[in-house]
Structures are given as structure tokens and as C-alpha cells.
């Protein structure tokens, strides 16, 4: 537990000291928030609460992108040679991978909370119950996509490959999840891609909570793009949340197993870090 805590503390310190990374994600989220707010200003088309609909999407996108991209920490450790020093320590590789997933989750949730604070000044209203539920969803999202990010980082083994792979995932996942563009406005031929996108379900449960849709009947939830009618089978937001938890567990096991068997001895050490 001390090992996991030490990795968490180190990654948090690195994140706080890296101001470009700290403010970059927040500024990008705010940029999307203000740009899309002009697009969704009219309540006559799309969702009934366009601004709150957008805000909830931006918050969960911040958590998603942050948790996925935080896996670059482990690539930096590999490139600098620090990982080899960690591996010779009397700790298990499972502890190292869990520490990195935990730090990705914590950093993603913290960035999401910063956007929540800004969103509250823009009209997002929350009570303690809904706020607590949001935290739970952000933790699950951070853990799931942090596990996916670590799995991709372990396979990629260098920053350039990871950036290419993560960009290929982030862009389609984002625009096919309903976070910015409601899934109800998408053409039917894209719907199979929407249904297999795990981000669709984390967005729907998050929006279900933040927009307080508990009182709405199932047909209305489907109309709002929060529930999904898949060939007659109605997939509720809670079912989607269970799907995300299962995906998170699968990728957590995969990335721990992959990290346990990865050979870091063939990775070249950057000259600048050899001094």
C-alpha cells in the first residue's frame, strides 16, 4: 500500500509542477464550453436544457481525456530509465501498475471537479446527493479509461506511438458518445458505432445524474439520448453504467497482466537522463 501511495504522490507532484499540462486540459475544456454554448443557445432544437446538457458533456470529456493521457507518465519513466530503477526495487509490478491507474484516476477527477466549479458559475445546479453521484461516476470513468490508457502505453512503449493511438481513440470516441452532439441527431448508420463506444454509456449516466432525469419515463430518456432503444431492447443509464464497470475490470486485469510480462530491458534510455 505504501508503494502505491508513493507512486500516487509522485505522479501528483509531477502533475502539479507541470503547469502546461495542468492548465492545458482546463483551458481546452473551457474553450469547448464557450464555443459550443453559442451553438446550443437555442432551446427550440435538441435537448430541453442545452447549456446544462453541454456542461455535463464537457465535464465527463475532461475526465475521459485526462485519465487516458495521464498514462504518458509511465512512458516518461520508461524513456528516462527511471522505470528500470523502480523494477529492481523489492516491489511487485502489479503495485506499480495499480499506482499509475490510481494516480490517473485521482488527477482526472480533480480536473473534472475544477470544471464542475466553473460550470456552477454558468448555471449548473447540484445538491449533495447528485454531487456525490457525479464523483462516483467520475471515479469509475477515471479508473476505466486510466486502465485502457495504461494498457495502450504498455503496448506502445514510446510517446509517439501512444499519441497516435490515443488520438485515434479520443476523436471518434468523443464525437460518437453524445457528449457534444446529441446521439438523437446522429444518422442511423452511425448508431452501431455509438452503441459499441464505452464513452456513450458513461456520458449517459453522467448526464442522467447532472440533469436530474430520475423522474422521466424511459421513452423520454430515450428521446433525450440518455437511454438507448437497441432493436427493441431498452438499455437504461444504469445498465450502461454496469457495462462500463465490466469494461473497466477487464482492462484493469489486461493492463496489469501486460505490465507484469512487459520487457523494459530493450527500451533505449534518453541521453539527457543518463547524466
Amino acid at each position: 500500500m505504501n508503494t502505491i501511495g508513493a507512486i500516487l504522490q509522485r505522479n501528483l507532484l509531477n502533475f502539479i509542477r507541470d503547469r502546461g499540462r495542468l492548465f492545458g486540459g482546463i483551458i481546452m475544456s473551457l474553450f469547448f464550453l464557450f464555443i459550443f454554448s453559442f451553438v446550443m443557445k437555442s432551446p427550440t432544437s435538441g435537448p430541453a436544457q442545452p447549456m446544462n446538457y453541454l456542461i455535463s458533456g464537457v465535464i465527463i470529456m475532461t475526465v475521459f481525456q485526462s485519465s487516458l493521457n495521464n498514462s504518458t507518465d509511465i512512458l516518461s519513466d520508461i524513456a528516462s530509465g527511471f522505470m528500470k530503477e523502480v523494477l529492481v526495487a523489492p516491489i511487485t509490478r502489479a503495485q506499480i501498475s495499480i499506482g499509475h491507474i490510481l494516480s490517473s484516476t485521482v488527477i482526472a477527477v480533480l480536473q473534472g471537479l475544477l470544471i464542475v466549479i466553473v460550470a456552477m458559475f454558468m448555471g449548473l445546479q447540484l445538491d449533495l446527493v447528485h454531487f456525490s453521484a457525479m464523483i462516483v461516476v467520475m471515479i469509475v470513468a477515471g479508473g476505466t479509461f486510466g486502465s485502457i490508457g495504461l494498457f495502450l502505453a504498455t503496448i506502445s512503449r514510446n510517446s509517439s506511438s501512444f499519441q497516435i493511438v490515443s488520438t485515434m481513440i479520443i476523436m471518434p470516441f468523443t464525437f460518437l458518445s453524445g457528449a457534444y452532439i446529441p446521439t438523437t441527431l446522429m444518422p442511423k448508420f452511425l448508431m452501431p458505432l455509438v452503441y459499441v463506444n464505452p464513452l456513450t454509456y458513461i456520458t449517459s449516466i453522467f448526464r442522467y445524474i447532472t440533469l436530474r432525469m430520475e423522474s422521466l419515463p424511459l421513452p423520454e430518456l430515450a428521446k433525450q439520448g440518455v437511454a438507448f432503444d437497441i432493436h427493441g431492447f431498452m438499455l437504461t443509464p444504469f445498465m450502461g453504467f454496469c457495462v462500463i464497470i465490466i469494461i473497466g475490470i477487464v482492462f484493469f486485469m489486461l493492463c496489469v497482466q501486460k505490465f507484469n510480462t512487459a520487457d523494459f530491458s530493450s527500451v533505449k534510455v534518453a541521453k539527457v537522463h543518463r547524466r
Side-chain angles (χ1 to χ4, degrees):
M1 191 64 192
N2 290 335
T3 304
I4 296 172
I7 294 172
L8 170 64
Q9 185 179 9
R10 174 180 176 273
N11 288 346
L12 281 174
L13 284 174
N14 286 340
F15 174 72
I16 293 170
R17 289 169 180 169
D18 189 348
R19 294 180 182 176
R21 187 174 152 202
L22 175 62
F23 292 107
I26 297 172
I27 290 172
M28 186 59 69
S29 300
L30 293 177
F31 174 77
F32 275 112
L33 196 59
F34 284 109
I35 292 297
F36 281 103
S37 65
F38 290 105
V39 177
M40 302 186 73
K41 234 174 184 176
S42 172
T44 56
S45 63
Q49 305 175 62
M51 195 58 198
N52 286 348
Y53 190 93
L54 172 67
I55 288 172
S56 58
V58 171
I59 295 169
I60 201 63
M61 279 305 100
T62 303
V63 176
F64 161 62
Q65 294 182 7
S66 175
S67 57
L68 199 66
N69 288 327
N70 280 326
S71 298
T72 53
D73 283 340
I74 207 162
L75 293 172
S76 301
D77 290 346
I78 294 172
S80 66
F82 179 76
M83 181 56 66
K84 291 181 180 178
E85 297 176 11
V86 173
L87 291 176
V88 297
I91 56 176
T92 64
R93 289 195 177 197
Q95 289 176 305
I96 299 171
S97 51
I98 291 171
H100 278 280
I101 293 171
L102 184 61
S103 59
S104 291
T105 304
V106 172
I107 290 170
V109 172
L110 288 176
Q111 284 193 295
L113 286 175
L114 288 174
I115 303 300
V116 170
I117 293 171
V118 174
M120 293 179 77
F121 286 101
M122 299 180 72
L124 182 67
Q125 296 181 347
L126 295 170
D127 56 28
L128 184 60
V129 174
H130 289 87
F131 181 74
S132 302
M134 282 175 60
I135 298 290
V136 172
V137 173
M138 285 195 284
I139 291 173
V140 171
T144 299
F145 293 109
S147 299
I148 294 175
L150 183 59
F151 179 73
L152 295 176
T154 308
I155 293 175
S156 304
R157 308 283 295 279
N158 62 71
S159 297
S160 57
S161 300
F162 178 76
Q163 288 300 328
I164 293 172
V165 174
S166 63
T167 302
M168 289 172 62
I169 290 177
I170 287 175
M171 293 302 288
F173 271 35
T174 299
F175 288 101
L176 291 173
S177 67
Y180 299 137
I181 304 170
T183 55
T184 51
L185 300 180
M186 293 183 185
K188 286 187 177 179
F189 72 90
L190 285 177
M191 294 313 291
L193 297 176
V194 171
Y195 296 147
V196 299
N197 181 2
L199 195 55
T200 300
Y201 304 114
I202 203 75
T203 302
S204 70
I205 184 66
F206 194 77
R207 190 160 279 148
Y208 176 82
I209 294 168
T210 53
L211 298 186
R212 304 183 181 187
M213 293 181 168
E214 304 89 17
S215 58
L216 296 181
L218 209 51
E220 184 60 25
L221 291 177
K223 190 178 176 183
Q224 294 286 335
V226 176
F228 303 97
D229 184 355
I230 305 175
H231 302 296
F233 176 76
M234 194 63 78
L235 199 147
T236 66
F238 286 107
M239 289 180 184
F241 189 56
C242 293
V243 171
I244 287 297
I245 292 175
I246 293 171
I247 292 174
I249 292 172
V250 169
F251 269 95
F252 174 77
M253 295 172 68
L254 281 175
C255 72
V256 171
Q257 183 185 19
K258 186 67 182 173
F259 191 83
N260 283 343
T261 57
D263 179 15
F264 296 107
S265 62
S266 60
V267 178
K268 294 180 180 179
V269 179
K271 291 181 180 179
V272 68
H273 296 289
R274 287 178 177 173
R275 297 169 186 173

